[in-house]
Amino acid sequence: MPELRRIPVNGVELNVALAGSGPAVLLLHGFPHTWELWTDIMADLSDHYRVIAPDLRGFGASGGTESGHDAGTLAGDAAALLTALDVSPAAVVGIDAGAPPAFLLALRHPGLVRRLVVMESLLGRLPGAEDFLADGPPWWFGFHSAEPGLAETVLQGQEAAYVDWFLRTGTLGDGVSPAVRDAFVRAYTGRDALSRAFSYYRALPESALQIERATTDARLTVPTMALGARPVGSALQRQLRPVADDLVGHVIEDCGHIIPLHRPHALLTLLRPFLAGEDAVTA
């Protein structure tokens, strides 16, 4: 079982799961997840790495603020966490809501990031995702970011059913273990918890602008792997191709959006050699 610590960064206290020793690997989750998203991945990687899995600002058991849920601020939280733990540089892995801050962290602070893995997300309005967005973004993006307070009012008291829908859909109907499911439901139950989570969606326009500005005069120089499944597929890889110097991409077949829970072994098959490469670079 990972060690849980509360670590203050950038004016907020993060709940952080820590396991193993060796080169650092930072894992950034998405919605509606907590650090428990990475349970299987941490158990494997901790044999060779110091694995760090925080609840993002405002998510799970981490502290929240009225603002600061944009990708740039979350990237700053990640940088401050690495500094607080004295473990830079690190390999950084981000999925869903964790992918844009992981990308900005690597773009802005390449000295802190040894290798980057991003999966099942889009990077703002960068070209390459036009086919994916042909019919518009997923419906919940608008629902979560519409009139402030509306989604919270509609969902209060129905959080378990709502989280269950994402977990079933994100695993192509297979679902997740009861322990992980219950942890996610607890983390997103209550009006305040919902509001903090939806603040990420309400900050998406700001995050998109940050990404657009950051890529106008900088390139992604760290070795990067883009992973897709259903529904994002290769869209993220196409967005990264024009701005990344060293990029590999894979689409995991017969896999839903929540890759670490739905196909952990397939993910580890790709992660292990990619992370091992950072040791070869360092040597």
Side-chain angles (χ1 to χ4, degrees):
M1 183 69 182
E3 172 196 2
L4 294 179
R5 290 174 54 187
R6 300 195 66 82
I7 300 176
V9 301
N10 290 347
V12 67
E13 198 171 67
L14 298 184
N15 179 57
V16 184
L18 300 162
S21 61
V25 179
L26 176 66
L27 306 174
L28 304 179
H29 67 81
F31 172 88
H33 318 139
T34 65
W35 72 265
E36 281 102 332
L37 171 76
W38 306 106
T39 300
D40 293 336
I41 306 305
M42 293 185 76
D44 184 280
L45 294 184
S46 61
D47 288 341
H48 302 285
Y49 298 95
R50 185 178 189 191
V51 188
I52 305 159
D55 287 340
L56 299 181
R57 171 191 296 249
F59 289 77
S62 287
T65 52
E66 291 187 5
S67 60
H69 299 92
D70 56 278
T73 299
L74 296 176
D77 289 349
L81 177 59
L82 292 177
T83 299
L85 292 172
D86 193 25
V87 291
S88 65
V92 178
V93 182
I95 186 171
D96 191 73
F103 170 75
L104 282 180
L105 176 65
L107 193 68
R108 292 174 172 177
H109 305 285
L112 292 179
V113 179
R114 224 174 345 204
R115 295 208 154 205
L116 174 67
V117 180
V118 283
M119 60 186 100
E120 277 297 289
S121 182
L122 295 183
L123 296 174
R125 296 182 290 266
L126 292 186
E130 292 81 8
D131 290 346
F132 177 79
L133 295 171
D135 296 323
W139 62 265
W140 56 90
F141 278 55
F143 178 52
H144 293 171
S145 61
E147 183 69 25
L150 175 61
E152 294 92 316
T153 299
V154 171
L155 293 172
Q156 193 167 5
Q158 303 297 323
E159 295 94 339
Y162 196 59
V163 169
D164 282 341
W165 183 87
F166 282 97
L167 299 183
R168 287 193 304 271
T169 302
T171 57
L172 306 184
D174 290 342
V176 303
S177 73
V180 170
R181 178 264 184 191
D182 290 348
F184 290 172
V185 169
R186 286 193 301 271
Y188 291 90
T189 293
R191 188 180 184 90
D192 288 344
L194 291 171
S195 184
R196 290 193 299 270
F198 298 156
S199 292
Y200 163 80
Y201 291 88
R202 291 162 187 162
L204 284 176
E206 183 179 356
S207 297
L209 184 59
Q210 292 168 347
I211 291 169
E212 184 177 343
R213 288 173 174 169
T215 53
T216 58
D217 58 3
R219 292 187 57 79
L220 189 62
T221 58
V222 304
T224 299
M225 182 164 65
L227 300 179
R230 283 198 252 169
V232 177
S234 61
L236 177 58
Q237 181 183 348
R238 292 195 301 270
Q239 285 188 306
L240 283 167
R241 184 67 61 190
V243 300
D245 290 344
D246 184 353
L247 175 67
V248 295
H250 303 276
V251 175
I252 301 176
E253 299 299 330
D254 191 30
C255 181
H257 176 68
I258 315 174
I259 297 173
L261 291 178
H262 193 208
R263 297 287 182 256
H265 298 298
L267 175 56
L268 286 165
T269 297
L270 295 169
L271 273 182
R272 290 190 198 107
F274 186 76
L275 295 180
E278 72 186 28
D279 297 330
V281 170
T282 303

